[in-house]
Amino acid sequence: MTQPPRPIEGRGAPGQRGGSRLNFLIVIALLAAAAYVAYQAAPVAFNVSSYKVYMQDTVDKAVALGQGEEWVRTQLRSGGADYGVPPAATIEASRGGEGRMTARVRFVRPISLPGYTYEYQFDHSVKSGQFLTK
């Protein structure tokens, strides 16, 4: 049984030249696109997470201080500028049973991606802690 001829040292088969360079460029392009998406989306995710905590703190403070619904709406709207909440956001506040306060904020935030604009839908509700009403 004879073995097939071996390629000359330092050279691949004729159809394989440049294949690794193309793969490298594809991987670099994908990594760059992923980094850009993360660069655009990470600040929005961080601000949204922080604003949810701010919402909870605001309704808890409103109950503790005996403030009304209008005070909660004002606080959430004025504090929202620090978290990237658009001025056109819908902010609702109401006092429920047992003296608890409920707040709901809704807005749409566009995130620019390569060749596409993603519209992030924020809709979050919070309710004051029960320990404050007892």
Side-chain angles (χ1 to χ4, degrees):
M1 194 184 268
T2 62
Q3 293 183 353
R6 297 175 73 179
I8 300 172
E9 294 264 340
R11 294 187 182 184
Q16 294 178 345
R17 288 194 206 178
S20 61
R21 185 178 302 149
L22 178 62
N23 288 341
F24 175 74
L25 292 175
I26 290 171
V27 168
I28 291 299
L30 290 175
L31 288 175
Y36 182 75
V37 169
Y39 177 75
Q40 293 294 326
V44 174
F46 177 76
N47 285 339
V48 163
S49 176
S50 298
Y51 189 65
K52 288 178 181 179
V53 172
Y54 177 74
M55 287 174 63
Q56 186 65 52
D57 291 345
T58 302
V59 294
D60 287 343
K61 187 187 284 186
V63 171
L65 299 176
Q67 298 292 336
E69 295 89 357
E70 188 59 37
W71 184 84
V72 172
R73 283 191 289 272
T74 303
Q75 293 297 311
L76 291 177
R77 187 161 310 280
S78 64
D82 297 336
Y83 300 100
V85 176
T90 304
I91 299 175
E92 303 167 359
S94 62
R95 190 169 290 279
E98 304 171 1
R100 294 176 76 178
M101 181 75 69
T102 303
R104 180 179 182 190
V105 177
R106 292 178 290 177
F107 63 87
V108 176
R109 175 96 188 264
I111 301 174
S112 297
L113 302 176
Y116 179 70
T117 299
Y118 175 73
E119 292 188 357
Y120 177 78
Q121 303 279 335
F122 180 85
D123 186 356
H124 187 69
S125 298
V126 293
K127 187 180 250 185
S128 63
Q130 198 166 9
F131 70 94
L132 295 171
T133 59
K134 291 185 176 184

